[in-house]
Structure formats: C-alpha cells, structure tokens
Amino acid sequence: MSERMSGPEDWASARRTVHAAGWRAQLPPVAVPLAEADGLTLAAPLAPGTDLPAFPTASVDGWALRGRGPWRVTGRVLAGSVPPPLTGDGTAVEIATGAMVPEGTEAILRVEHSTRSGDLVDGTPKSEREWRVPGEEARAGEPLLPAGTPVTPGVIGLAASCGHDTLQVRPAPRAAMLIFGDELLTAGPPADGRIRDSLGPSIPAYLRRLGVTCEQPAGPIKDTLDAHVEALRAALDSGADLVCTTGGTMHGPVDHLHPALAELGATYVVNTVAVRPGFPMLVAAVPYGGRTRFVAGLPGNPQSAVVALVSLVVPLLAGLTGRPEPALPPVTLGEPVPGRGDYTHLALVRVDPVDGLARPVSHVGSAMLRGLAGAHGFAVIPPGATGRTGDTVELVEVP
C-alpha cells in the first residue's frame, strides 16, 4: 500500500480529491417511487413528458366568453372534464379555476367583475389573458432540474406534476462504523483508566443526517491487527459502501489501521491533511466485491473525528451520490480567530441569531465535545492567515 510521503495534503485540495474519488465510484442509479425519493439525489435530469400545463387552464373562477356581450350562458366547465367548444358569438360558459378552457374562448370574465340576470351575464373582462397556455411553465422534454439535484418535497411535487410515478436516483450509501480502542467503555461513566466512547453513538447520527443508511457501530475492536482486519472484512461483507473507523490513524504501537488497510489491498485517497484540529485523518479506497468501497479513518479524539467527518466524509458522500462538491457558505467573524501556521484552522463558532456574526466558542480541545455541542460549525482560517473581526470566511456547517 503506497503512502503519500510528501507531507499532509492541503485541506481544500483534500476535499476535492475525495469528492473526485467518490464521483468515480458513484452508486448505480435506481428507480424509486416518488414517496421513497425524499433525500436522495437525481441520477438523470428531471423533464416533463408533456407540456406544462398540458392544455389551456383557467386561472380564475368566472365565465369563458366568445364574441361581444352580454353573453348567454350555455353551460358549465369544471376541472377534470373536456368541454365542448364555444361556437356561437355572444355565448359563455361558467368556468372554474383549473378547468380546461373551451376551444373558441376569446376572454375570461372574472366572477367578481360580472353581473348575471337570468341566463345572461355582463361585465368587462380584463385585457390580459386569464388562463394558462400549454407549455407556459415548461415544454415536453425540457430539462427542469439537472442530475445531482437533491430530492426535496418540492422536487417530488414537481415530478408528480410532470406525470412521473418514479424517479431515477442514486441510492443512499450504506455505512458501517468500527470503534477501535481497548480503553473505551460503551456504557456507564468513565472509570479505572477507561473513558466513555462518545463517537459510537454520535457519528452514525451525523451520517444519517447526511442521508446515509448506517448500522449500529461494532466495537470496541481489540487492539490487534487480526481483529482490525477481521472487523473491516465483516463491515465490507455487510455491503457497506463506506466504513468509518475511529482511532488508530497514527502509527503507534496499537494503531493497526494502516497495516490492516494494506492487507485488504487498499490505496490511499488522502492520507493526513494539513488541518487543525483533526490532523491524523485518512480516506482509503478498497477494491471489494467487484467495486470500490471506502474506509474513512477518523481520529480517536472526538472533536478531531468530527473535523475529519466534515472535511473528508461529507465531500466523499457527495461524490458517491453524484452531487457537486459541497459549497461552503460565507460568514462574518464577530471576534478574531487565530491561525494555525501552515495548517488550515477549523475553529468552532456559533452564529449569533441577532447580528448574524460568528464568534468562537470555548472548550474546543481535540478531546472535548462541550464546545461542539453548542456550535453551528467551523470557521475556515486558511494556512498562513488569521481571522480578524469583520472578516468574511467560509463556514463548514455541522450536520
């Protein structure tokens, strides 16, 4: 297994690298019913099979008219029916909003602008057209949304209006999680030199918010190479597209992730990133079961693990599902944020709901979660820079 020996990769470059790797390994598209498509990603452009609207439809309740008034009322048109044409001058039919406009209609008179006496109706129709014409919203076959668009309730509604019963989408990636570290407890308070595992409960929750199907984590895995290899194989055998691990990303005496990946024939996509906190993170590609799977090695320190998640896993998942690399929204700093020399600094901040400014939070050590629990995301301070009050910087949002 080859390693990158030229030093850690620039943070922004690493995000592009993992997104491109995910893009090359995109999951095959599937057709799903509209009711099951929410949160997935369009695998093909969304286009209507007919013009929208498919036929002229009334925009108001009123009267469809032909010729000059007053007009003799000859019938009624409701939505969901095909009306006979208006053929006689001086005739009208009552029409409901959304109903098909009869052929021969020259104007529509709003009901509130009309008077009726017996079978005669009179009034002055507006000069502008009061119905929608075929193709006003879209033409048949016109691309409305590109592939890579996240499916939202609005997209589902648009697809239904286009006449679709299913959508071609990229399926939700499947993830597995492995907890490394004999020192971890999975229940109760920390004691006797052992600490409570906080990532096993939290990382799957983050992944689910990112649209991933994630099983309960396995572990703690014993601190042996054989146990690490066995756990990784089991996760891949379960069908996982992505395996997230916590801890073991360094090269210490009980850090077995790197040799375990070598035994699986993995290659590094990214191996270490020039970012603080979260430095010892990685993504590896594993040829398994006839396709490429991925292992994301998250550091064992909790905040560093979340930094690795938002730095590498988020763009990797975007690539896997055919979405563009996630854009980072701008935010204005309300207080100064220090830089970290040659490293990108991801500084936990909270965005004030009143003035909209981002301010650093306290308790932000790599092993701490108190600051993270109250933060909106990480302000990005590029290498060689510092963040000054009033500066506009990028924000990496926490899922």
Side-chain angles (χ1 to χ4, degrees):
M1 181 174 181
S2 61
E3 296 202 29
R4 297 170 182 260
M5 302 304 293
S6 56
E9 187 164 348
D10 172 74
W11 181 79
S13 172
R15 288 172 62 83
R16 292 191 295 270
T17 298
V18 294
H19 179 265
W23 188 274
R24 291 190 296 270
Q26 280 182 58
L27 303 175
V30 295
V32 302
L34 295 185
E36 300 174 13
D38 186 32
L40 301 177
T41 308
L42 291 181
L46 178 64
T50 64
D51 288 345
L52 293 181
F55 46 84
T57 56
S59 303
V60 296
D61 293 329
W63 312 92
L65 312 174
R66 181 182 175 99
R68 301 179 63 182
W71 298 270
R72 182 171 53 86
V73 179
T74 61
R76 172 185 290 178
V77 183
L78 300 178
S81 62
V82 178
L86 272 179
T87 57
D89 286 341
T91 59
V93 292
E94 187 178 3
I95 192 166
T97 300
M100 185 175 183
V101 177
E103 183 181 345
T105 296
E106 296 176 351
I108 290 181
L109 173 64
R110 291 181 176 225
V111 66
E112 62 267 27
H113 296 165
S114 70
T115 58
R116 182 172 182 176
S117 177
D119 65 350
L120 291 180
V121 65
D122 203 358
T124 303
K126 297 178 72 171
S127 58
E128 60 265 25
R129 187 185 66 240
E130 295 273 40
W131 65 87
R132 299 173 62 208
V133 298
E136 183 176 306
E137 184 174 3
R139 290 294 182 184
E142 177 185 347
L144 305 182
L145 295 171
T149 298
V151 178
T152 64
V155 173
I156 292 172
L158 178 60
S161 72
C162 290
H164 296 292
D165 301 316
T166 63
L167 281 175
Q168 285 286 322
V169 296
R170 301 286 175 183
R174 297 180 58 187
M177 185 175 177
L178 305 179
I179 306 298
F180 295 152
D182 287 341
E183 76 282 8
L184 298 175
L185 295 170
T186 57
D192 300 326
R194 302 181 71 189
I195 60 174
R196 178 66 185 270
D197 168 42
S198 60
L199 297 176
S202 61
I203 295 297
Y206 284 125
L207 291 171
R208 294 185 192 106
R209 289 185 173 214
L210 293 168
V212 174
T213 301
C214 188
E215 303 298 329
Q216 290 299 311
I221 307 301
K222 290 183 179 180
D223 282 332
T224 68
L225 176 57
D226 288 345
H228 279 51
V229 173
E230 180 182 351
L232 285 167
R233 289 191 186 278
L236 295 169
D237 286 336
S238 73
D241 306 295
L242 168 68
V243 181
C244 288
T245 67
T246 61
T249 53
M250 295 293 283
H251 295 274
V254 292
D255 293 327
H256 302 294
L257 179 58
H258 292 278
L261 290 172
E263 287 210 17
L264 292 173
T267 56
Y268 290 115
V269 178
V270 167
N271 183 20
T272 71
V273 180
V275 63
R276 296 293 195 206
F279 172 69
M281 64 178 75
L282 66 88
V283 169
V286 185
Y288 205 90
R291 59 188 178 91
T292 299
R293 320 284 187 91
F294 293 94
V295 174
L298 314 181
N301 275 328
Q303 190 193 151
S304 293
V306 177
V307 167
L309 180 84
V310 299
S311 296
L312 298 184
V313 175
V314 169
L316 174 69
L317 291 173
L320 269 178
T321 53
R323 297 187 186 187
E325 183 183 340
L328 302 179
V331 69
T332 301
L333 296 178
E335 295 178 11
V337 178
R340 296 296 290 267
D342 293 335
Y343 289 76
T344 296
H345 182 198
L346 296 191
L348 276 173
V349 294
R350 181 169 182 81
V351 180
D352 190 294
V354 177
D355 60 22
L357 299 179
R359 294 179 172 88
V361 300
S362 59
H363 303 94
V364 294
S366 293
M368 297 181 181
L369 288 174
R370 181 174 173 180
L372 179 67
H376 289 105
F378 298 90
V380 181
I381 309 302
T386 60
R388 298 165 299 181
T389 301
D391 282 353
T392 298
V393 299
E394 294 177 319
L395 178 70
V396 183
E397 296 173 299
V398 176

